[in-house]
Amino acid sequence: MELLLLISKVDFTLPLKNPVVIFSLVLFIILFAPILLQKIKIPHIIGLIIAGVVVGPYGLNFLSRDSSIVLFGTVGLLYIMFLAGLEIDISEFKKNRKQIAVFGIATFLLPLSIGCLASYYILGYSFLSSLLLASMFSTHTLVSYPIASRYGIVRNRAVALTVGGTMITDILALLILAAIAGAAKGEAGTGFWVQLSVSCVAFVATVFFVFPPIIRWFFKNFHDSVSQYIFVLAIVFLSSFLAEVAGLEAIIGAFFSGLVLNTFVPHSSPLMNRIDFVGNALFIPFFLIGVGMLVNVRVLITGTGALEVAGVIVAVALITKYLAAYITRKTFKLSREEGNIIFGLSASHAAATLAIILVGYNIIIGESENGQPIRLLDEDVLNGTILLILVSCAVSSFVVEKAARKMAVNEETSTTEEEESNERILLSLAHPESVTQLVDLAVMLKPKRSEVPIYALHVVSDTLSDENAQTAGRKMLDAATKYAAATENAIIPLTRFDSNISNGIVYTIKGHNISDVLISIQRTTEQQSFFGAVAQETLQRTFETIFIYRAIQPLNTLKRIVAAVTPSGEDEPGFEHWLHRLTMLSKEAALPITFYTTQKTNFAIRAYLKGRPVEAEFKIFDKWEDFLIFSRELRRNDLFFIVTSRKGNVSYNEVLDKLPYYLINYFSDYSFILLYPKQFGHEIDIEGISTSDYKIIEALSERLGSVNKAGSLFKRLFRK
């Protein structure tokens, strides 16, 4: 009885008003609607929109579209546009800027011209009303973008084309809206356009020139994950607000903030994972449910006027968007799936469309004989637009889902060098403060969509019984594992007991077939301790690719990679391997590369990079005795990437022996990576070879010009 009494006190009148009940209902919709509809092959986005129709004011009336739904829906829309700017491949975007301009103009002009003619001659609206209605056809909202993101194809050129085209169409359409609204109110004079132009220039200058130094300073000084996420959101909504102040739509500001933050939020970072998770779990579903709540299915039975307007609007919007995508596909020789992705992403109408129609609906241009207001766009257009939102989002979701699945399967089944099965990365953990920096570097170097394992190693010397060292090692391994998990990458922790630390690293490399070793070093003022005994001996006794990394600042706060390659570096066995790793680092961190090489090495690197979306600049540098020239060439926030060589190998020269002295005395304020390319030295059996033995091999290699020859001679002379 007491339970029934308590239940009776809860207000269940419709629409629901209890905030706890409302939020619970929305969460269950987000959870179950996609699951139920996916069983009948309906994309989850449509599931959320349909759920919004059912529970909304035009359905069962469980929920009203009150301020809370509008607030979360607005956040979700801005989040979609922010993610579109954040996840875009900047190098691909720059590379395809001409194609983006062509598609943007095509997907704007075709719907605008055909839509204006259809509205004027078929629906019988005035020229001003027809032009405003046609501008609505030109816009599109990236409702299906989360589908492309889920399949991992957001960095495809077709997605870049559509995202860039979205900005062109929305900006032009919103300018038409501002002009028509001003004309209807008698405000569209010269002063109006001057004010709009000045405010837009000020907005763009603020976002692209004032924000970056502030963002870089924040990420350099604040490393707390929660603080970084809140800061990113603050930048997004501040940019959106400034766009509105400038007379543009907030979605433009959200997209621009994504472009600015693109270089500061690596795509494989824990911060990116948190941004994706929160948006796709909460904010974006709220927006989709809110869109569904706008749909009034009853317009289908209110009369032939609404049906006629709705039919023309839906037909013109979908046909013109398809034509624009088809023309773009044929012009730039894209695949069928890429053309479908362009059409699917650009077919959906939601936010900007609704904004334009609501503005036109609220503009009163006169009064009828019976005293009713005459609106620039009537109620039939409003109802037809709501139906367009439902139909276009459904078409968009189905098309993108099908095309994205095919593209993802094709990418996974294609055998590329980025997915070599014999690649394994090892992190040698020695300093607690460098754990996250090494993990960040390893994740960026790891080929995407592959199962390349990452190992984290801590070696404990069995000649010492230091319990504190063992505890510190376990803490570093735990920290590396947790940090990598935040990026949805798994790290395999390894603890090894050995006679000395270098032995442990060397035997782990051999036992696990490691291809890349990452070692961190700390800032020092002594040349003798620059590498440390462990790193030095590991270099002498292994032949794999070794990265020696010193991080002065986080990778995401850097602006450029300056890569110095030793003469004849292209003749090293590991040339393509390290170059592939470097281009992946450049792409993931969105950093352009400036190469300093000889002419011959220059040609080899250019040949490798041909067709790859890497932003690279080349400068001739062949006098390594003038190495200190880099103290003038390097700028603040550069990463100095030095491709060096072990003694006795093809690209080795005596100047490399002075690198520790140079780096300590002239480059102490820069982050750098010393890279030792892979050598074909695996045939030498390292078990039982002492440091003194390797010194003999090193001396022989200097005389013979090859580590391989030296190793073979050593085995014949001393190991029979």
Side-chain angles (χ1 to χ4, degrees):
M1 292 295 293
E2 292 182 0
L3 179 61
L4 293 175
L5 183 62
L6 289 173
I7 294 176
S8 65
K9 292 181 179 180
V10 179
D11 184 9
F12 285 107
T13 57
L14 299 180
L16 298 171
K17 296 179 176 60
N18 187 308
V20 177
V21 176
I22 292 174
F23 200 73
S24 298
L25 177 60
V26 171
L27 291 180
F28 278 113
I29 290 173
I30 295 173
L31 177 63
F32 288 112
I35 295 175
L36 294 175
L37 290 175
Q38 276 182 347
K39 292 182 178 180
I40 53 176
K41 305 295 184 181
I42 294 180
H44 75 287
I45 285 179
I46 293 301
L48 292 171
I49 294 176
I50 292 176
V53 176
V54 173
V55 302
Y58 302 111
L60 300 177
N61 197 29
F62 285 161
L63 300 177
S64 63
R65 199 169 188 275
D66 58 13
S67 58
S68 62
I69 299 294
V70 172
L71 172 64
F72 276 95
T74 302
V75 172
L77 171 62
L78 297 180
Y79 219 99
I80 289 176
M81 298 307 299
F82 161 59
L83 284 177
L86 187 65
E87 294 183 338
I88 197 171
D89 188 333
I90 294 295
S91 58
E92 192 76 30
F93 191 85
K94 292 178 179 178
K95 178 183 175 183
N96 296 314
R97 56 185 178 273
K98 293 182 180 178
Q99 292 93 322
I100 289 172
V102 170
F103 170 69
I105 293 172
T107 199
F108 174 76
L109 289 180
L110 274 174
L112 183 71
S113 55
I114 296 176
C116 191
L117 293 173
S119 301
Y120 189 81
Y121 289 105
I122 298 177
L123 299 180
Y125 289 114
S126 66
F127 174 75
L128 209 59
S129 299
S130 298
L131 184 60
L132 183 59
L133 181 56
S135 69
M136 176 270 288
F137 296 140
S138 298
T139 66
H140 54 262
T141 304
L142 299 174
V143 169
S144 297
Y145 184 85
I147 296 177
S149 180
R150 191 173 76 249
Y151 281 101
I153 63 164
V154 293
R155 309 188 80 175
N156 182 276
R157 58 179 175 173
V159 179
L161 284 177
T162 315
V163 171
T166 300
M167 287 302 97
I168 294 174
T169 59
D170 283 0
I171 289 174
L172 293 176
L174 293 172
L175 286 175
I176 289 178
L177 172 63
I180 292 176
K185 299 174 183 177
E187 299 174 355
T190 304
F192 168 80
W193 289 108
V194 170
Q195 180 182 351
L196 181 63
S197 301
V198 171
S199 60
C200 288
V201 170
F203 161 70
V204 172
T206 300
V207 172
F208 287 101
F209 296 102
V210 177
F211 281 10
I214 297 173
I215 296 170
R216 181 169 285 106
W217 171 84
F218 185 90
F219 281 123
K220 280 185 180 180
N221 293 278
F222 297 91
H223 306 292
D224 175 65
S225 58
V226 175
S227 300
Q228 288 186 348
Y229 180 75
I230 297 300
F231 175 75
V232 166
L233 283 190
I235 290 294
V236 173
F237 288 96
L238 176 59
S239 180
S240 301
F241 170 71
L242 292 178
E244 289 187 329
V245 171
L248 301 172
E249 282 295 311
I251 56 175
I252 306 297
F255 178 74
F256 282 2
S257 69
L259 290 178
V260 170
L261 285 162
N262 189 292
T263 57
F264 296 98
V265 184
H267 296 88
S268 53
S269 65
L271 179 57
M272 186 68 189
N273 193 40
R274 294 185 186 100
I275 291 171
D276 269 333
F277 174 78
V278 175
N280 291 314
L282 191 62
F283 293 134
I284 295 175
F286 253 102
F287 163 68
L288 297 171
I289 292 172
V291 169
M293 294 173 69
L294 288 170
V295 177
N296 184 2
V297 183
R298 298 168 191 169
V299 300
L300 296 174
I301 56 175
T302 55
T304 57
L307 283 175
E308 180 185 358
V309 172
V312 171
I313 287 176
V314 171
V316 171
L318 293 179
I319 291 172
T320 53
K321 288 296 182 182
Y322 178 80
L323 287 175
Y326 182 80
I327 291 172
T328 303
R329 175 195 157 198
K330 288 296 185 181
T331 302
F332 301 114
K333 299 178 180 179
L334 304 179
S335 67
R336 181 182 297 273
E337 284 73 26
E338 287 177 321
N340 288 338
I341 285 289
I342 294 175
F343 167 62
L345 288 174
S346 63
S348 53
H349 293 69
T353 299
L354 193 61
I356 291 173
I357 295 304
L358 287 176
V359 169
Y361 181 75
N362 291 325
I363 293 178
I364 299 175
I365 57 176
E367 189 174 290
S368 64
E369 295 180 356
N370 57 2
Q372 295 296 319
I374 300 176
R375 304 177 183 275
L376 189 60
L377 296 177
D378 58 26
E379 192 170 340
D380 286 342
V381 173
L382 179 62
N383 291 330
T385 303
I386 298 300
L387 189 61
L388 169 65
I389 291 174
L390 178 61
V391 174
S392 65
C393 288
V395 171
S396 170
S397 299
F398 279 111
V399 173
V400 172
E401 180 88 23
K402 184 177 180 181
R405 188 186 298 114
K406 285 185 178 180
M407 291 175 65
V409 169
N410 291 338
E411 289 181 5
E412 288 176 2
T413 55
S414 61
T415 55
T416 63
E417 60 185 312
E418 287 81 2
E419 298 176 354
E420 298 174 8
S421 59
N422 61 346
E423 293 182 354
R424 291 174 173 82
I425 298 174
L426 176 68
L427 313 182
S428 177
L429 303 182
H431 310 288
E433 60 273 19
S434 64
V435 169
T436 58
Q437 297 162 347
L438 276 180
V439 174
D440 280 335
L441 181 60
V443 170
M444 289 186 184
L445 294 176
K446 174 184 175 182
K448 301 302 171 284
R449 297 183 304 278
S450 71
E451 299 300 324
V452 171
I454 302 177
Y455 298 87
L457 171 68
H458 178 69
V459 181
V460 180
S461 176
D462 56 13
T463 60
L464 301 174
S465 57
D466 189 350
E467 189 66 31
N468 291 332
Q470 296 183 34
T471 303
R474 286 194 296 269
K475 288 182 178 179
M476 284 191 289
L477 290 173
D478 288 342
T481 304
K482 291 178 182 178
Y483 189 77
T487 68
E488 296 189 347
N489 284 280
I491 277 188
I492 304 170
L494 301 174
T495 300
R496 186 180 181 104
F497 293 84
D498 215 309
S499 57
N500 61 63
I501 295 176
S502 60
N503 271 350
I505 297 175
V506 171
Y507 297 151
T508 301
I509 293 172
K510 183 178 179 68
H512 291 275
N513 295 320
I514 300 299
S515 62
D516 301 85
V517 184
L518 276 57
I519 301 174
S520 69
I521 59 174
Q522 302 302 299
R523 188 183 294 208
T524 180
T525 58
E526 298 181 7
Q527 182 177 348
Q528 294 79 6
S529 60
F530 178 76
F531 288 114
V534 173
Q536 187 70 46
E537 196 165 347
T538 303
L539 277 171
Q540 293 173 350
R541 299 176 58 187
T542 59
F543 303 94
E544 306 303 332
T545 305
I546 294 184
F547 297 80
I548 296 179
Y549 179 38
R550 188 184 72 182
I552 300 298
Q553 64 190 74
L555 279 169
N556 64 321
T557 63
L558 298 169
K559 286 185 176 181
R560 181 181 63 150
I561 298 174
V562 174
V565 185
T566 55
S568 300
E570 72 281 2
D571 295 326
E572 295 277 7
F575 171 70
E576 289 194 358
H577 181 79
W578 71 253
L579 187 52
H580 169 55
R581 287 283 190 256
L582 177 58
T583 54
M584 281 201 301
L585 176 61
S586 168
K587 190 171 183 179
E588 289 301 311
L591 298 174
I593 310 174
T594 301
F595 285 99
Y596 286 81
T597 68
T598 63
Q599 189 68 58
K600 183 182 175 185
T601 309
N602 184 339
F603 289 148
I605 293 176
R606 286 178 183 272
Y608 178 85
L609 296 181
K610 188 176 181 180
R612 289 176 168 84
V614 177
E615 188 177 349
E617 180 184 3
F618 294 87
K619 296 187 178 181
I620 301 302
F621 177 73
D622 50 12
K623 295 182 180 179
W624 273 68
E625 58 271 18
D626 297 332
F627 186 83
L628 291 181
I629 195 175
F630 287 109
S631 62
R632 300 194 304 269
E633 296 294 324
L634 284 172
R635 301 194 293 264
R636 189 181 179 184
N637 304 313
D638 279 349
L639 172 64
F640 198 12
F641 191 95
I642 308 164
V643 182
T644 180
S645 178
R646 297 171 175 86
K647 282 187 177 181
N649 292 314
V650 177
S651 62
Y652 173 78
N653 65 72
E654 293 181 355
V655 179
L656 299 179
D657 291 335
K658 300 179 182 179
L659 277 180
Y661 172 78
Y662 290 148
L663 293 173
I664 289 171
N665 292 281
Y666 298 97
F667 303 94
S668 59
D669 294 330
Y670 298 97
S671 296
F672 66 76
I673 294 176
L674 276 175
L675 182 133
Y676 289 83
K678 174 183 178 181
Q679 299 296 326
F680 292 143
H682 300 84
E683 69 273 19
I684 302 174
D685 182 10
I686 64 175
E687 289 287 348
I689 295 181
S690 65
T691 303
S692 60
D693 291 339
Y694 272 92
K695 289 182 178 178
I696 296 174
I697 294 176
E698 186 178 274
L700 287 170
S701 68
E702 291 183 5
R703 297 293 300 272
L704 299 175
S706 168
V707 173
N708 295 334
K709 292 179 181 179
S712 299
L713 179 60
F714 177 85
K715 289 167 67 177
R716 289 199 302 270
L717 294 176
F718 300 105
R719 302 297 298 278
K720 279 191 176 181

